[in-house]
């Protein structure tokens, strides 16, 4: 019995001990669970907890579409290519990043290039609004390089000859760019940036392979392609990880729309922006919604989107490889074509390719960009930069000049006269005409530009204003591990590679900046045509003939951008000399665009009346066309945030008309036809998408006409509407 009791008592003690341990462990477990749950509720399980202080980030987009009628388009320099309608609208997209100490602004705008005059007017407007917050040092303005936007925003004579200086053309650009910055400024909030890069094939082709092959073989062997295929994406999110914007850089010309197009168009890069913004801002019209997608230009100098390459359009045979000309018809007949059946389809295909790659990179971007922000800027007199060629020899840049091959154009748009690419000798006929009209180039300029045979010695031509800029911006901004090099022109593929390499080497030289991603933002701040390598320059195709500061242009830029990068790496930007300020001309600005005169209409008709009516029924995939009596679109003044066109569907529930497309939509085309006797028509096309809902539709046109009342011009708004028509999946009703 005793032993049994003892055993029993032993079990009781053990039970008590185990019970105590159980209670303690339960308490510990509960505490751990509480801690775990509490921690989990404050951290996104898919994202590691942020380790870095967030940036302040703002994004903004604004309409910057200028006059869509009569004004010369900027890009092809073709006098026949004046605006006559709208394919898509043009937008400015702004991105502001602040690290608490410094702030930078990057703008990519749907324009051919940023001119010096445009930049100066934007900076003046920002100074009035924000004081010294946004200046030449920390604001980068870059153009997408569409060749189908209105010109008229230049102050140098050569550009004014082809597109002029027009207040009506530059004001929408200035106001649109500033408004996009305003929106970004007012939307700034804590957020994060992620970077990603990939390659995009089948969307670009080198249009001067003969020049590229003149680069050293050892250098060429380092690269798989003769164009840069990389796409760099910066993803902007708020603190919760929700996307607010994206910038993408890819090197390709925005010339899918060719020189026969006369509708204002943002071309392939604008279409990529359109697609991604429609994705991220569902249900909105173009230009609406908070997500901003910028597709920026890069070192696209020798890169075309016309991937089927050039051939002689009159014979179907290949063009001459060396000078891109045809036996009959010369350079004008040698044309490159995109992947589509026409320029619209080619624009869609290339834009869609770029959009898909950027979208993929955006979705998979996880490498966070962290670190301080820097910005460095100098004005440089590019006509007189001494460069060190080797240990014993120096050389210099030149006064601006354009070579004979400049007049030959490219396979994306050849010249009308009998010039060919690759000309290293002058032509006595054209040289004689030039000497008689404009004067002969000096021997010093001829020697400096050798082997370029000079067609226009623009640096020695100053009437009524200088023909080309002398003072040029060199600028760089860094956001943590990303450096954006703002280049004032069109760098070729190899020039861009050399510049990126040089900048990366300098930035990382001090050891404080590591794993830097260097990207070139082309067509920035001031336009100076092309920048080839020294070796490409010797071949004197179009790009070399358009390298206006001579054979050592790239070497000079490498030297200057290295200086900016070194100053950033050493944190000595404040010691950089500002350089000579560029001029801001107030007199002798001119243009050749005729005034928009009074509008007339046919007898017994009104503005907005329909001349050619719609059919009663259409199917998805059809094209609806309607023509109205119209006024000159220039009489509508500032057209930003307005529309000449709406496509509307009738909502049976609310018995109201709802706008589903406007003139910014890819699916619409607004053609303006200038007739005789001051009469004009507007034809609207709607390509009905496969996704269009079945229902009742109408197309409306809005505009203004100018008439003389007494002795005063009076501008009056008008609108017109088509008949109601039906969109159905089938013509057959059950």
């Amino acid at each position: 019995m005793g032993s049994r009791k003892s055993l029993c008592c032993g079990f009781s003690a053990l039970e008590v001990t185990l019970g105590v341990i159980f209670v303690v462990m339960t308490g510990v477990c509960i505490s751990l669970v509480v801690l775990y749950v509490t921690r989990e509720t404050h951290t996104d399980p898919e994202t590691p907890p942020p380790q870095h202080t967030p940036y302040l980030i703002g994004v903004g987009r604004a309409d910057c579409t200028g006059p869509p009628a009569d004004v010369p388009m900027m890009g092809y320099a073709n006098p026949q290519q004046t605006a006559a309608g709208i394919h898509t609208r043009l937008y400015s997209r702004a991105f502001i990043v602040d690290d608490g100490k410094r702030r930078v602004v990057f703008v990519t705008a749907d324009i051919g290039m940023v001119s010096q005059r445009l930049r100066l007017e934007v900076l003046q407007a920002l100074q009035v609004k924000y004081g010294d917050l946004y200046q030449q040092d920390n604001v980068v303005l870059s153009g997408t390089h569409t060749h189908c936007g209105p010109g008229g925003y230049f102050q140098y004579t050569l550009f004014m000859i082809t597109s002029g200086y027009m207040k009506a053309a530059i004001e929408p650009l200035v106001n649109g760019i500033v408004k996009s910055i305003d929106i970004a400024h007012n939307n700034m909030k804590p957020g994060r940036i992620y970077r990603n890069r990939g390659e995009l094939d089948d969307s670009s082709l080198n249009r001067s392979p003969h020049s590229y092959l003149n680069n050293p073989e050892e250098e060429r062997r380092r690269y798989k392609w003769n164009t840069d295929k990389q796409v760099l994406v910066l993803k902007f999110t708020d603190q919760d990880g929700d996307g607010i914007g994206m910038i993408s850089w890819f090197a390709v010309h925005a010339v899918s729309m060719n020189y026969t197009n006369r509708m204002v168009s943002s071309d392939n890069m604008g279409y990529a922006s359109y697609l991604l913004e429609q994705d991220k801002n569902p249900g909105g019209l173009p230009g609406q919604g908070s997500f901003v997608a910028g597709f920026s230009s890069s070192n696209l100098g020798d890169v075309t989107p016309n991937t089927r390459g050039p051939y002689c359009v009159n014979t179907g045979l290949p063009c001459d490889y060396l000078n891109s000309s045809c036996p009959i018809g010369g350079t004008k007949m040698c044309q490159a074509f995109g992947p589509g059946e026409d320029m619209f389809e080619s624009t869609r295909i290339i834009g869609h390719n770029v959009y898909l790659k950027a979208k993929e990179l955006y979705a998979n971007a996880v490498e966070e960009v962290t670190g301080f922000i820097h910005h460095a800027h100098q004005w440089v007199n590019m006509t007189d930069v001494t460069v060190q060629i080797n240990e014993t020899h120096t050389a210099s840049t030149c006064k601006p000049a354009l070579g004979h091959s400049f007049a030959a154009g490219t396979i994306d748009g050849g010249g009308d006269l009998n010039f060919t690419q690759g000309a290293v000798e002058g032509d006595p006929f054209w040289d004689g005409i030039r000497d008689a009209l404009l004067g002969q180039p000096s021997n010093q300029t001829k020697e400096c530009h050798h082997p370029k045979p000079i067609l226009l010695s623009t640096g020695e031509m100053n009437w009524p204003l200088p023909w080309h800029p002398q003072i040029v911006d060199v600028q760089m901004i860094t956001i943590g591990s990303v450096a954006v090099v703002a280049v004032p022109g069109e760098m070729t593929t190899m020039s861009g590679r050399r510049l990126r390499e040089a900048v990366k080497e300098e930035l990382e030289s001090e050891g404080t900046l590591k794993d830097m991603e260097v990207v070139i933002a082309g067509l920035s701040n001031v336009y100076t045509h092309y920048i080839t390598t020294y070796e490409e320059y010797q071949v004197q195709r179009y790009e070399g003939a358009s390298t206006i500061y001579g054979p050592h242009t790239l070497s000079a830029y490498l030297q200057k951008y290295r200086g900016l990068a070194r100053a950033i790496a050493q944190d000595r930007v404040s010691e950089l000399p500002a350089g000579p300020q560029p001029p801001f001309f107030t007199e002798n600005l001119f243009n050749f665009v005729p005034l928009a005169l009074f509008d007339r209409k046919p007898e017994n008709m009104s503005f907005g009346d329909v001349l050619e009516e719609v059919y009663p029924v259409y199917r998805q995939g059809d094209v609806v066309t309607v023509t109205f009596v119209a006024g000159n679109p220039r009489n509508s003044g500032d057209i930003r945030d307005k529309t000449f066109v709406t496509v509307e569907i009738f909502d049976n529930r609310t018995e109201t008309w709802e706008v589903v497309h406007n003139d910014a939509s890819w699916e619409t085309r607004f053609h303006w036809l200038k007739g005789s006797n001051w009469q004009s028509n507007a034809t609207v096309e709607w390509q009905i998408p496969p996704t269009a809902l079945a229902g009742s539709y109408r197309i409306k046109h809005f505009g203004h006409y100018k008439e003389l009342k007494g002795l005063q011009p009076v501008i009056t708004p008008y609108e017109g509407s088509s008949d109601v028509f039906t969109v159905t999946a089938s013509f057959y009703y059950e």
Side-chain angles (χ1 to χ4, degrees), residues 50 78 113 120 143 507 543 566 654:
N78 186 319
M113 63 285 291
L120 292 174
L507 287 172
E543 294 82 11
R566 194 177 309 120
T654 60

Side-chain angles (χ1 to χ4, degrees), residues 300-362:
L300 48 65
D302 51 359
V303 189
T304 176
N306 295 316
T307 50
R308 282 197 283 160
Y311 60 87
C312 296
V313 292
N314 51 353
T315 64
L317 297 173
C319 304
D320 181 272
Y321 175 74
L322 297 182
N323 58 35
S324 298
S325 66
C326 299
I328 302 169
T331 55
K332 193 73 175 175
M333 288 294 115
C334 177
Q335 297 176 24
F337 291 87
E341 288 298 309
D342 58 27
M343 61 182 166
F344 297 99
E345 191 185 1
S346 292
T347 302
R348 183 187 60 77
I349 292 170
I350 297 297
H352 191 257
N353 290 351
V354 177
Y355 146 77
L356 278 182
K357 176 54 69 173
K359 184 180 179 181
E360 170 201 322
L361 294 172
Y362 175 91

Side-chain angles (χ1 to χ4, degrees), residues 415-436:
D416 288 309
L417 305 173
N418 64 333
F419 292 91
T420 57
Q421 294 198 63
V424 289
E425 292 182 1
D427 182 301
F429 175 75
W430 292 112
D431 287 350
I433 291 175
R434 175 208 58 210
D435 294 349

Side-chain angles (χ1 to χ4, degrees), residues 564-580:
L564 298 185
R566 194 177 309 120
I568 287 173
Q570 297 174 354
D571 201 14
R572 297 173 69 175
V573 172
S574 60
E575 298 174 23
L576 286 171

Side-chain angles (χ1 to χ4, degrees), residues 287-456:
Q288 296 179 356
S290 60
F291 189 94
V292 178
F295 284 76
S296 178
S297 62
S298 195
N299 54 316
L300 48 65
D302 51 359
V303 189
T304 176
N306 295 316
T307 50
R308 282 197 283 160
Y311 60 87
C312 296
V313 292
N314 51 353
T315 64
L317 297 173
C319 304
D320 181 272
Y321 175 74
L322 297 182
N323 58 35
S324 298
S325 66
C326 299
I328 302 169
T331 55
K332 193 73 175 175
M333 288 294 115
C334 177
Q335 297 176 24
F337 291 87
E341 288 298 309
D342 58 27
M343 61 182 166
F344 297 99
E345 191 185 1
S346 292
T347 302
R348 183 187 60 77
I349 292 170
I350 297 297
H352 191 257
N353 290 351
V354 177
Y355 146 77
L356 278 182
K357 176 54 69 173
K359 184 180 179 181
E360 170 201 322
L361 294 172
Y362 175 91
N364 298 312
V366 292
E367 184 182 351
E368 188 171 0
V369 175
T370 61
F372 294 115
I373 285 173
H374 295 276
H375 48 76
H377 172 277
Q378 284 183 302
W379 286 302
V380 175
N381 182 348
M382 275 300 292
T383 69
D384 188 25
V385 178
T386 302
V387 296
Q388 195 78 35
I389 298 175
N390 52 42
E391 291 181 2
T392 56
H393 287 77
T394 61
S396 176
T397 54
C398 316
K399 290 181 178 180
L402 291 161
H404 275 247
S405 295
F406 162 75
T410 71
I411 58 173
D412 296 321
D416 288 309
L417 305 173
N418 64 333
F419 292 91
T420 57
Q421 294 198 63
V424 289
E425 292 182 1
D427 182 301
F429 175 75
W430 292 112
D431 287 350
I433 291 175
R434 175 208 58 210
D435 294 349
L437 294 175
L438 303 169
Q440 193 173 353
S442 67
N443 288 333
Q444 180 186 359
T445 298
K446 285 181 184 176
E447 290 166 13
C448 189
H449 279 270
H450 182 80
K452 177 194 290 179
I454 293 174
L455 179 65
L456 297 172

Side-chain angles (χ1 to χ4, degrees), residues 27-216:
V28 170
C29 288
I30 289 170
S31 300
L32 287 171
V33 169
V34 169
L35 283 170
Y36 183 77
V37 170
T38 305
R39 184 180 69 85
E40 283 296 296
T41 56
H42 286 88
T43 305
D44 183 346
E46 295 178 6
T47 309
Q51 303 295 318
H52 309 281
T53 307
Y55 294 113
L56 274 178
I57 301 171
V59 301
R61 175 190 52 251
D63 190 346
C64 63
T65 312
D70 290 333
V71 177
M73 289 179 164
M74 186 60 207
Y76 291 112
N78 186 319
Q80 279 79 49
Q81 196 196 19
T82 54
I86 294 179
H87 175 226
T88 55
R89 282 193 170 245
L90 311 180
Y91 291 96
S92 171
R93 295 172 172 91
F95 303 81
I96 304 178
V97 186
D98 189 312
D99 67 358
K101 185 181 177 184
R102 297 186 188 93
R103 176 176 294 203
V104 291
V105 182
F106 181 80
V107 172
T108 176
D110 291 328
I111 54 176
M113 63 285 291
V114 174
S115 73
Q116 189 173 79
R117 181 58 176 234
L118 176 58
R119 176 168 168 82
L120 292 174
E121 292 200 20
V122 167
L123 290 174
Q124 284 179 4
L126 292 174
Q127 173 76 32
V128 170
K129 275 196 169 187
Y130 298 104
D132 294 337
L133 183 59
Y134 301 119
Q135 299 188 80
Q136 72 271 4
D137 299 59
N138 67 340
V139 175
V140 176
L141 305 180
S142 176
T144 61
H145 206 36
T146 174
H147 285 41
C148 296
Y153 56 97
F154 295 82
Q155 67 171 5
Y156 291 98
T157 298
L158 182 76
F159 305 123
M160 286 194 286
I161 289 171
T162 57
S163 78
Y165 175 86
M166 298 175 60
K167 281 219 168 287
I170 196 167
E171 283 177 355
L173 293 177
V174 173
N175 294 335
I177 290 169
V178 171
K179 184 177 177 181
S180 69
I181 294 172
D182 289 340
I183 294 168
H185 176 90
N186 293 327
N187 287 336
M188 290 187 75
K189 56 188 173 184
R192 301 192 178 275
I193 305 173
Y194 302 87
R195 76 181 197 187
N196 201 5
R197 65 181 294 173
E199 286 194 345
L200 174 62
D201 200 7
D202 300 325
S203 297
S204 58
L205 184 81
N206 193 306
R207 69 184 188 187
S208 282
H210 182 53
S211 298
Y212 181 88
L213 285 172
N214 214 41
N215 290 307

